[in-house]
Amino acid sequence: MTQCCAVFCGVDVGKGEHHAVGLDPAGKRLFDKALPNDEARLRAVFDQLATRGPLLIVVDQPNTIGALPVTVARDCGHDVAYLPGLAMRRIADLYPGQAKTDARDAHIIADAARTMPHALRRVDTGDEALTELGVLVGFDDDLAGEATRTSNRIRGLLTGIHPALERVLGPRVAHPAVLEILSRCGGPAGIQAAGRRKLTSIAVKHAPHMGARLVEEILAALPAQTVVVPGSKAAEVVLPKLADQLKAVLQQRKTIAADIEEMLDAHPLSRVLTSMPGSSALICLARRRCDVLFAMLKSKEPYRTPAAAAP
């Protein structure tokens, strides 16, 4: 990757602007300036440096704030690599000075590319798919947090106004039947007013096997409390809205899961991913275990269970 390069361009990426340093094989500075995070300006600098010969562009962050320089460099036909953070910190200790400046970091990146090419990591095209997956997984994490907050809010309200009913509905609060009952009937008063027939109709439609049993448990819990706790009237208004919110969030998570699965199926190394038993690949993604997938994709080795991996 570095043997025939005429210019080594180190880019210390930033949110608003980057800093680029260009070195020739002898270490002479050819460029040392701040760069706005703008395609036209990045393209102009890369083209200017490329007039001297093959150009290698090295960044310290290939994703998020470093995605634009990497994409522009690729579009221009230049080689792209990145210097991992741990290697960057160790190499920086070899250079004089303690100041942490963009210009110094960019120079260290460029000089490391020139003198220590073994420290670089290639930015493979497969990383683009992982970046896309990372965006989806990050959004799914946000949705998971929102679902947890909404579930806790529903359970908190039920505990405050009718603990017996919460003991029935709380553990199943994310079940479609429970959410539909809360959405259409509200709190204890609304559920009591709905009656057995309406509750059974709602519950059996969304839970054919447990619907009737759920209604029996609800109707058994309602008489356990005869007093009306302050705040119950407001809870009757809020609970349906919270139930609708939770339904929407859970539906979004299902859609995201389908998008992740579709993206995995389209990945050239999907066989490696799907070699994991059951849906383990998706579970790893949902739990932000992307490090497992990164290792599998990089090594192109299928997942092995402990028993299969043992000699």
Side-chain angles (χ1 to χ4, degrees):
M1 181 168 57
T2 64
Q3 289 82 350
C4 59
C5 291
V7 182
F8 302 88
C9 180
V11 181
D12 182 65
V13 301
K15 292 182 180 180
E17 64 178 16
H18 316 299
H19 196 101
V21 171
L23 303 177
D24 67 9
K28 179 182 177 182
R29 290 183 190 250
L30 306 175
F31 186 87
D32 188 352
K33 290 182 180 179
L35 285 176
N37 196 17
D38 175 77
E39 178 185 349
R41 182 60 179 145
L42 289 168
R43 192 181 294 272
V45 171
F46 295 160
D47 290 345
Q48 174 189 339
L49 293 174
T51 58
R52 295 176 174 270
L55 172 63
L56 172 64
I57 297 166
V58 184
V59 298
D60 60 344
Q61 171 56 267
N63 301 314
T64 58
I65 58 176
L68 183 59
V70 169
T71 305
V72 172
R74 275 185 177 158
D75 190 62
C76 293
H78 307 309
D79 287 332
V80 184
Y82 79 98
L83 185 63
L86 180 59
M88 173 70 180
R89 289 191 293 273
R90 289 177 174 174
I91 294 172
D93 290 337
L94 303 176
Y95 289 78
Q98 298 296 323
K100 180 71 172 66
T101 65
D102 295 342
R104 180 175 183 270
D105 289 348
H107 177 264
I108 291 172
I109 295 169
D111 204 41
R114 181 181 69 89
T115 59
M116 291 176 277
H118 61 276
L120 303 181
R121 300 291 181 268
R122 182 181 292 276
V123 182
D124 296 321
T125 54
D127 290 343
E128 295 178 0
L130 292 177
T131 301
E132 300 288 342
L133 287 171
V135 172
L136 292 178
V137 170
F139 182 53
D140 183 65
D141 282 346
D142 293 339
L143 292 176
E146 184 63 29
T148 300
R149 286 189 292 272
T150 306
S151 298
N152 290 340
R153 182 62 175 148
I154 292 173
R155 298 192 67 172
L157 278 176
L158 287 174
T159 300
I161 62 174
H162 203 302
L165 184 61
E166 193 281 330
R167 286 193 289 271
V168 174
L169 300 182
R172 307 160 173 157
V173 70
H175 193 285
V178 173
L179 288 176
E180 194 65 23
I181 289 173
L182 292 173
S183 175
R184 294 176 59 178
C185 303
I191 293 173
Q192 183 75 55
R196 180 185 298 271
R197 178 176 296 182
K198 181 176 180 179
L199 291 175
T200 302
S201 174
I202 296 172
V204 171
K205 179 179 179 181
H206 295 276
H209 299 293
M210 61 164 277
R213 186 175 74 253
L214 175 64
V215 171
E216 292 298 328
E217 292 180 16
I218 291 173
L219 295 178
L222 287 174
Q225 181 174 312
T226 59
V227 297
V228 178
V229 176
S232 296
K233 185 178 295 186
E236 296 285 339
V237 176
V238 173
L239 281 169
K241 300 181 187 302
L242 290 174
D244 289 340
Q245 286 180 12
L246 185 53
K247 284 196 295 182
V249 170
L250 294 176
Q251 182 57 46
Q252 283 184 297
R253 294 203 69 193
K254 288 182 181 179
T255 303
I256 291 295
D259 292 338
I260 291 174
E261 187 172 2
E262 181 180 350
M263 190 170 292
L264 288 174
D265 289 340
H267 196 279
L269 295 179
S270 60
R271 285 188 178 182
V272 177
L273 299 175
T274 55
S275 68
M276 299 178 73
S279 58
S280 299
L282 294 179
I283 294 173
C284 287
L285 282 170
R287 294 179 179 175
R288 293 191 67 82
R289 295 298 298 275
C290 289
D291 53 337
V292 176
L293 298 178
F294 269 102
M296 291 167 58
L297 291 170
K298 290 294 184 183
S299 64
K300 300 184 181 179
E301 289 290 332
Y303 174 83
R304 293 184 177 89
T305 62

